[in-house]
Amino acid sequence: MAFMEKPPAGKVLLDDTVPLTAQIEASQSLHSHTEYIIRVQRGVSAENSWQIVRRYSDFDLLNNSLQISTLSLPLPPKKLIGNMEREFIAERQKGLQAYLDVITTHHILSNCELVKKFLDPNNYSVNYTEIALQHVSMFFRSEPKWEVVEPLKDIGWRIRKKYFLMKIKNQPKERLMLSWADLGPDKYLSDKDLQYAVKLLSSCSHPYIYKITFATANESSALVIRPFSEKGTLKDLIYKAKPKDPFLKKYCNPKKIQGLELQQIKTYGRQILEVLKFLHEKGFPYGHLHSANVMLDGDTCKLLDLENSLLGLPSFYRSYFSQFRKINTLEGVDVHCFGHLLYEMTYGRPPDTIPVDSFPPAPSVFVVSVLESILTCEAMKNGMPTVSRLLQMPLFSDVLLTNSEKPQFKIPTKLKEALKTSKECIEKRLTEEQKLIHQHRRLTRAQSHHGSEEEKKKRKILARKKSKRSAYESGEEHSAKYSNSNNSEGEMGCHPCSGTTLKENRIWTLKSNSLSNRKEVFPIEEYC
C-alpha cells in the first residue's frame, strides 16, 4: 500500500473509543415475553444509528457477565407473575433505560467487549481471540524457539488486542508477554514504513522505556514480545491488583482507594515527563499514556506500547480530550493524559468528571498546581502546558534522577518524514472529530434553550403582544375605511333636516374616549 493510501474497500477500521448511546424507543409484548426496541447511536451523528431488539433476559445475561467488575449496576429485578401488565412494562422500561445510561457512560464498561457486542452486534461479532491465535500460530512456524504458556484473557481494555504468556524453549523459567493487535483507524503509514518502524522499536534504549524483545507487523496486524513483569503496571500498584486478572476485575471497583506517597508521585511523574520529552524531541508520536501503560521496574517507571500510534490505535482517553478543541496535537494529548495519570497517582482513582471543578486535599499544594494547569476548565480553554513547562514546576524540578543509562533511538530521516506526515493525519482526524462534537454541542444547547420553560413563556408573551398589535392596526384600518364612506355620503346631500323619507340606518362611527385615550366603536341611529 502506498504511503497515505486509504485501506482497501471493505476493510473496516472502526474507532472503538467513539461512545455509543442507547435509547429505548418502544416495547412490544409477544405471547410470553416483552421485547424492547432500542436506538443505538455512535458518536454525535444521528445518521450513524441503528435499532436493536432486546428482551429482559438479554439484559440479565449481560448483567451477569459484568458482575466480574463487582460494580452494583441498577438492573431492575426479575418478576415471574404479572410481568406482562402494561404498568409494569412501562416501569421496567424506565429501569432498563437507567441501566443503559450507566453502562454507556462508565468509561471502562462502555469500552468493554461485552457492552459493545450487546449494543452493536454487527461490528463486534468477530472472535478476536481466535484471530490472534491464528496469527500467533503462523508466527511460531517461522520462529520455533518461542512457546505459548497460557493466554492472558482480557487483561487489557482493547477489544482488538490480545495477550499471551510466553517462554523461550531453551530458557523455560524466563517469562515473556506477547501482544497481538489489529490495525486501527489512525494507521497512516504505508505497509513498508509500518513494518520498518515496528521492527525498529526493539533497538530503542531508554531508562524509562520498557524494553521490547521482538516486534513485527504485516498489512493487517502487529505482534510484539516483551518481558513479563510479575509486579505489573503502575495501575496495578495504585489499585493493588494482580497483573493477570481481567481488566474489569482489576480496575472497575477497587476495594481500597488510596493514592501514592508524595515522593513516589514526584519521582514517577518526573520519569514519565522525561520520556515524553525524549519522544517529542525525536518526532515519535505517542498519545497513549495511562497508568496501565507504565510498567514498574523497582522504583523506576517505564513506558509501554510505543507501537500503538504506529498501528493507528485510538487512545484510552480519546473520548475525553476529543471534547476540547484546544487539545489538538499529540503533544497536547500526552500532557492531558499525564493529568489523568497524576490525578490517579494522587487520589487512587480517576477523576469523576472532566474538566475538574475542584480538587480534594492533596499531599502537596504543588500537586494541585500541576493538576489545575491541565484538568480545569480554564486549562481546557487555553490549551495544555508543554512537557518542558511541567518539568520546571516545583513538584518535579527538584527531583534527582539517578539513572545514568544513555538514551538511544535512531530514526532514519525518511522514516522521520513518514512519521511526521502520519502524526499530522492523526491530528487532522482528531480536529475534524472535535469540530463535529463542538457543532453538535452548540446545536443541543440552542435546542435546549429554545425548549426551556422560560423561553416558552417569553414566546407566549411576545405572541400575545403581536396579536394585540395586529388587532389594533386592523381596527384602525377598518375605522378609517368607514369614516371615508360617511364623508362621501355627506357630500352627496344627506342631512337630518332635508325632509327626505325617514329611513333607519345603523352605522358605526368613531368616538374618542377621553378617559382611556383609546378609539372605540359605538352604534348610533341616524335619520336622513
Side-chain angles (χ1 to χ4, degrees), residues 207-211 227-241 243 251 260 264-265 267-269 271-272 290-304 341 345:
Y208 309 126
I209 292 178
Y210 202 62
K211 182 68 178 174
F228 177 74
S229 172
E230 294 289 345
K231 290 185 177 180
T233 63
L234 179 58
K235 201 174 188 79
D236 293 325
L237 173 68
I238 295 170
Y239 288 77
K240 298 171 180 59
Y251 308 132
L260 303 182
Q264 288 178 305
I265 295 171
T267 303
Y268 294 161
Q271 292 170 350
I272 292 166
H290 60 93
S291 56
N293 265 358
V294 179
M295 191 66 78
L296 284 177
D297 186 4
D299 293 329
T300 304
C301 278
K302 298 194 174 187
L303 213 58
L304 284 168
L341 187 148
M345 287 197 294

Side-chain angles (χ1 to χ4, degrees), residues 3 43 62 71 352 428:
F3 182 69
L62 171 66
L71 290 168
D352 295 325
K428 182 181 178 182

Side-chain angles (χ1 to χ4, degrees), residues 330-432:
L330 286 186
E331 290 84 0
V333 167
D334 282 335
V335 172
H336 177 77
C337 294
F338 178 77
H340 282 262
L341 187 148
L342 181 61
Y343 190 102
E344 211 169 3
M345 287 197 294
T346 305
Y347 301 112
R349 59 179 179 83
D352 295 325
T353 58
I354 297 292
V356 180
D357 295 326
S358 60
F359 296 91
S364 166
V365 293
F366 295 144
V367 176
V368 176
S369 179
V370 176
L371 290 172
E372 286 176 342
S373 72
I374 300 173
L375 296 180
T376 58
C377 188
E378 186 180 357
M380 303 299 176
K381 290 179 180 178
N382 298 331
M384 297 292 100
T386 63
V387 170
S388 298
R389 172 74 187 97
L390 293 177
L391 284 167
Q392 293 170 359
M393 296 183 79
L395 182 63
F396 306 116
S397 60
D398 63 347
V399 176
L400 297 176
L401 300 177
T402 57
N403 201 307
S404 59
E405 181 185 345
K406 187 178 179 180
Q408 289 184 343
F409 192 21
K410 292 182 180 180
I411 304 174
T413 305
K414 188 177 178 182
L415 182 59
K416 270 189 177 181
E417 288 299 317
L419 289 173
K420 181 182 177 183
T421 309
S422 175
K423 175 179 176 290
E424 290 170 353
C425 291
I426 293 171
E427 292 170 348
K428 182 181 178 182
R429 187 176 84 88
L430 173 61
T431 303
E432 289 172 349

